[in-house]
Amino acid sequence: MKKVIVLLLLTFGSSLWAQVQFEAKVSKNSLGINERLRIEFTMNADGDNFQPPSFESSGFRVVGGPSQSVSQSWINGKSSFNKSYIYILLPTQKGALTIKQASIEINGQVYKTSPIRINVTNAVEIPKDPNEMPAISADDNLYLVADISKTNPYLNEPITVVYKLYFSYNIGITNWKELNKPKYNDFWSQNIDIKQLVAQDGMFKGERFRYVVLRKTVLYPQKSGKLEIEPLSLDIDCQVPTSRRNFWGQPLMTEDSKRVSAGSKVITVRPLPEAGKPEDFSGAVGRFDFKVTPSKTTLKSGESLDLNVSVAGTGNLKLFTLPKPVLPSALEMYDPVHDENVTTPLTGMTGKIADKYTIIPQYKGNYQIKPLRFTYFDLGSNSYKTLASQPITITVLDGPTVASSEKVNPNEVAKTKIEVAKTFAYNKQETKLQPMQKDDFLGSGLFYSLVMLPFLAIPLLIIGKRRKEASDNDVVGNKIKKSNALAKKYLSEAKQHLGNKEPFYIALEKALHNFLKAKLHIETSEMSKDKIAEILHTRSAETNTISEFIQLTENCEFARYAPASETVIQQDYDKAVIIISALEKQLK
C-alpha cells in the first residue's frame, strides 16, 4: 500500500513539474532599424531570480521597461497563474540578430527560454495614427555640433573641441546614449569634466534654440599635416508634440527617437618654422618664464644644496624636457626629482614644472655652474625665444683640496715657468747637441706607430663597450651604487638639520636604511631588527657594533616623538658616523 501511495505522489509531482512553462514572445520577427520591438517573458508559475538576456550584446538597446504584470484566477475550482516581464527594444545595428536566453528559478529548478532570431532591415516608413501625428519632427529640431576653436594650429598649439546638443523649444530630451566616442589619433588630449548639464539659450542656423554642452576636450597636435577627429554619435530619445490636444488645449506629446552625429572634422596642423630654430629647441610651445635657483651658494664640507630648474607659464608643459645643468667634476650631482603643478582649463595647460637636483661638493674651493638656456616657440609673435639663466658660483668653505684644471689659469702657469727658467739659467752646465740633419718622418717608428694606433684601439673600444653594457645590465650593482649615493645624501641632510630634531632623525634613518641596502643587498621591506642582526652576524660584523647599530635605529624611531636636546642629536650623529665607518671595515 505504501508503495502505491509513493508511486502516486511521484506521478502527481512529475505531472505538476511538467506543467511549468517559461517562454519568450516578440511582437515581430522582422523590423526596420527605426522600429521598436516588444519582447515578453511569460511563466505560469511564480519564480525567483529572473535574469534577462544581455540585450546590448545582442544588438538592441532597452528604451522601455521592464514592466511586470501578474494575474491569477480560479475557475471551477482550478487555479491559473500568469506572470510577465515586458521590455521595449530598439535595434542598434542591421542584420540577423539573436536575442539570447533568459532564465528564472521555479520550485528550485532553473528554466530558460529559447533564443529568438530577429531580422533587422533598413529603415522603413512607419504608419502612424492620424490622431497622433507629430506636429513637428525631431529631424529638424535636434542637432549635434562640434565647435573647434582653431582648424589650422601650429604643432603643439592647443585647440578645444566643444560638443553641443541643440534642440528646439518644442521638444524635450528624455535620454541619450553615446554610440561612437571620438578618437584623437596623433593628439595629446585632456577631457574637462562637466559636473552638471545646464540648458542654455543660443542661436543656431539663424533661429533660437536651447543647447547643452555634453563634452569639452583640449587637444595638442603631435604631428603636422591633415589630422582627422572621428565623430561623436548619439541615440536621442525625445518627446515631440502631436496634433491632438488635451482639455486645456495643450498639445499631447508622443515618444520619438533620433540618431545624431557631429561628423568627422579635419584639422590642418602647421609645422613649426625651420627659420631661426635653435639647435637646443626641445619642443616647448607657448609663453613661459625660466628660472634656475640654488637653495644656497655657500657650503661647508659634507653639506648639500638643491638646484631648482623650473619653467612656468602657459603651453605644452607636459610635452617637453627641461635643460640639464653642466657642473664641474668637483660637484657631484644626483638624478633630479621631477615635479608638476599643471592644470588644463579650456585655454590649455597652465602651471609650472620643475626638476630639483641635489648637489654635494667633494672639495674645498670656488666652482661655477654655467648658464642654462631654454628655448620655446612663442605663439604670440610666431617666433623662437631663448631665455638664459645667470652663472652661479658655489663656494665650499672647508674640506679637502684638489688641484683642479678648472681653477688654474694657463697664462699664469706659462708665466711662472718662464720666470723659473730665468732664475736658474746659470745652473745649466751640460751642453745638449742635436744633429743638423733629421730623419724623415715618413717610414719612421713614430709614423708606423700612428698608422697602427687606430687598429690597436678597436679591441679597446670593443672591450669598453662590453663593460659598459655589462654595467648597464647590472641591476643589483646599480641599485647598490644608488643606495650608497642616497646614504651619503641623507647623512649630509642630517648634518644640516642638527638643530632641528624631526627632519634630522628622518634623514638619519634614511641614511642608515640606504647604507644597509647597499651593503647587505636587502630591500626596505626586509629590514626587521632580527633580520638585520642575523645578516650582520653572517657578514662577520662585531656583536658590539651590531647592538649599537640596532640601538641607533631605535633612537631614530622614538626620538622623532620624544623631546631631544641638541647635545643628544649631535651625539647620535657622531655615533652614526662611527658605526658606519666600523661596519665598512668589518663587513666581508
Side-chain angles (χ1 to χ4, degrees):
M1 184 66 182
K2 291 182 180 180
K3 292 183 178 179
V4 173
I5 293 173
V6 171
L7 182 62
L8 290 174
L9 289 175
L10 290 174
T11 304
F12 180 72
S14 62
S15 64
L16 287 177
W17 195 276
Q19 292 176 358
V20 174
Q21 294 180 352
F22 178 52
E23 59 184 354
K25 300 176 182 179
V26 293
S27 58
K28 58 179 71 176
N29 293 97
S30 180
L31 71 157
I33 195 169
N34 60 328
E35 294 185 285
R36 300 189 179 196
L37 179 71
R38 183 180 185 271
I39 184 168
E40 181 178 1
F41 301 94
T42 63
M43 64 205 75
N44 63 351
D46 198 7
D48 299 312
N49 301 324
F50 172 69
Q51 296 291 334
S54 174
F55 297 114
E56 298 286 341
S57 61
S58 301
F60 291 90
R61 180 167 64 91
V62 178
V63 295
S67 59
Q68 182 178 334
S69 66
V70 179
S71 64
Q72 189 171 8
S73 62
W74 290 84
I75 302 176
N76 297 328
K78 295 183 179 180
S79 66
S80 63
F81 179 87
N82 186 272
K83 185 176 182 180
S84 300
Y85 293 94
I86 303 169
Y87 292 83
I88 306 298
L89 308 178
L90 183 68
T92 58
Q93 62 188 61
K94 295 186 294 183
L97 308 181
T98 301
I99 298 177
K100 299 178 182 179
Q101 295 175 307
S103 65
I104 196 167
E105 184 178 344
I106 301 175
N107 298 327
Q109 185 171 348
V110 176
Y111 292 85
K112 295 184 178 181
T113 61
S114 300
I116 301 177
R117 293 182 64 83
I118 305 295
N119 185 36
V120 180
T121 63
N122 293 326
V124 298
E125 184 177 355
I126 303 175
K128 298 183 178 180
D129 185 348
N131 294 322
E132 292 188 357
M133 287 291 290
I136 63 172
S137 171
D139 293 341
D140 300 325
N141 293 272
L142 197 59
Y143 301 94
L144 181 62
V145 177
D147 286 342
I148 299 179
S149 61
K150 194 171 187 178
T151 57
N152 61 335
Y154 276 112
L155 186 71
N156 267 313
E157 179 181 359
I159 62 173
T160 58
V161 183
V162 180
Y163 294 93
K164 298 178 181 178
L165 180 65
Y166 285 90
F167 54 99
S168 72
Y169 287 85
N170 300 317
I171 67 174
I173 306 298
T174 58
N175 188 29
W176 68 76
K177 178 185 176 183
E178 289 187 358
L179 298 178
N180 297 316
K181 294 184 179 181
K183 296 180 180 178
Y184 307 110
N185 298 324
D186 299 317
F187 288 92
W188 182 93
S189 62
Q190 175 70 54
N191 290 325
I192 298 177
D193 293 334
I194 300 177
K195 296 181 180 179
Q196 185 177 3
L197 299 178
V198 180
Q200 305 176 56
D201 295 328
M203 297 295 293
F204 184 72
K205 292 187 175 182
E207 299 181 6
R208 294 180 66 248
F209 274 79
R210 290 180 296 169
Y211 72 91
V212 291
V213 177
L214 301 180
R215 182 192 290 263
K216 297 178 181 180
T217 306
V218 179
L219 302 177
Y220 282 84
Q222 301 298 293
K223 180 181 176 182
S224 59
K226 293 186 179 297
L227 305 182
E228 181 180 2
I229 299 177
E230 296 184 3
L232 171 66
S233 299
L234 304 175
D235 257 349
I236 308 290
D237 295 332
C238 58
Q239 292 182 331
V240 297
T242 67
S243 56
R244 298 179 62 187
R245 297 184 178 272
N246 60 16
F247 178 79
W248 292 275
Q250 298 172 333
L252 298 176
M253 307 296 286
T254 185
E255 298 290 334
D256 200 358
S257 63
K258 183 183 178 183
R259 186 164 296 175
V260 293
S261 173
S264 62
K265 303 294 181 181
V266 176
I267 307 297
T268 303
V269 182
R270 293 177 290 172
L272 297 177
E274 292 296 329
K277 180 187 291 187
E279 293 182 359
D280 59 353
F281 177 67
S282 61
V285 177
R287 182 169 293 176
F288 305 103
D289 290 327
F290 176 61
K291 291 183 180 180
V292 179
T293 309
S295 59
K296 52 186 170 182
T297 56
T298 303
L299 298 87
K300 296 180 180 179
S301 177
E303 292 183 339
S304 65
L305 67 94
D306 291 330
L307 186 68
N308 284 282
V309 181
S310 63
V311 168
T314 301
N316 59 335
L317 287 163
K318 296 183 179 181
L319 303 176
F320 61 83
T321 57
L322 294 171
K324 185 176 181 180
V326 178
L327 305 184
S329 58
L331 301 179
E332 186 175 2
M333 181 174 68
Y334 296 92
D335 292 337
V337 176
H338 186 72
D339 180 60
E340 292 183 356
N341 183 15
V342 180
T343 58
T344 309
L346 202 59
T347 54
M349 283 186 266
T350 182
K352 178 180 178 181
I353 61 173
D355 285 342
K356 184 170 74 172
Y357 296 86
T358 298
I359 299 173
I360 300 178
Q362 303 298 308
Y363 304 103
K364 176 183 177 181
N366 296 325
Y367 306 97
Q368 188 177 84
I369 299 177
K370 297 179 180 179
L372 274 69
R373 289 164 44 91
F374 172 71
T375 301
Y376 67 95
F377 183 76
D378 184 13
L379 293 171
S381 61
N382 291 338
S383 62
Y384 294 97
K385 292 187 177 180
T386 299
L387 305 176
S389 65
Q390 297 295 323
I392 300 171
T393 301
I394 305 299
T395 302
V396 183
L397 300 177
D398 53 7
T401 59
V402 64
S404 174
S405 60
E406 297 163 357
K407 300 183 293 179
V408 176
N409 189 334
N411 295 328
E412 293 291 332
V413 172
K415 183 178 179 181
T416 302
K417 288 183 178 180
I418 293 173
E419 292 176 354
V420 170
K422 290 180 179 179
T423 304
F424 299 96
Y426 64 90
N427 289 333
K428 295 180 181 179
Q429 299 178 0
E430 295 183 0
T431 302
K432 293 183 179 180
L433 301 177
Q434 295 181 355
M436 296 180 62
Q437 295 182 351
K438 295 182 179 180
D439 296 334
D440 292 335
F441 174 71
L442 188 62
S444 65
L446 178 60
F447 170 78
Y448 288 111
S449 298
L450 295 175
V451 170
M452 294 301 295
L453 185 60
F455 298 97
L456 295 175
I458 292 175
L460 298 177
L461 293 174
I462 295 173
I463 293 172
K465 182 180 179 182
R466 289 179 179 175
R467 287 185 177 178
K468 185 178 183 305
E469 291 176 351
S471 175
D472 293 339
N473 295 328
D474 185 9
V475 178
V476 176
N478 290 332
K479 282 186 177 180
I480 293 172
K481 292 178 183 177
K482 186 174 182 181
S483 297
N484 262 324
L486 288 173
K488 292 181 181 178
K489 173 186 174 183
Y490 289 122
L491 194 60
S492 174
E493 285 188 9
K495 187 175 182 181
Q496 296 178 38
H497 295 292
L498 285 173
N500 197 347
K501 178 188 60 123
E502 185 171 348
F504 167 78
Y505 281 107
I506 291 175
L508 186 60
E509 187 176 13
K510 288 181 179 180
L512 295 175
H513 281 188
N514 281 282
F515 174 77
L516 288 180
K517 289 168 68 175
K519 295 301 177 184
L520 304 184
H521 306 169
I522 60 175
E523 298 298 329
T524 304
S525 59
E526 302 175 311
M527 289 186 184
S528 65
K529 296 181 179 65
D530 295 337
K531 182 73 172 179
I532 293 171
E534 179 184 349
I535 297 177
L536 288 175
H537 274 299
T538 59
R539 297 287 297 275
S540 302
E542 296 179 1
T543 304
N544 185 37
T545 307
I546 297 173
S547 301
E548 290 180 350
F549 186 89
I550 298 297
Q551 183 182 359
L552 184 59
T553 58
E554 292 175 349
N555 289 350
C556 292
E557 294 175 1
F558 295 117
R560 283 185 285 170
Y561 309 102
S565 63
E566 293 187 7
T567 304
V568 174
I569 293 175
Q570 182 66 49
Q571 289 175 354
D572 284 341
Y573 175 79
D574 296 337
K575 186 183 297 183
V577 175
I578 294 172
I579 293 173
I580 290 174
S581 300
L583 289 176
E584 285 276 8
K585 298 175 182 178
Q586 296 171 14
L587 293 178
K588 296 181 180 180

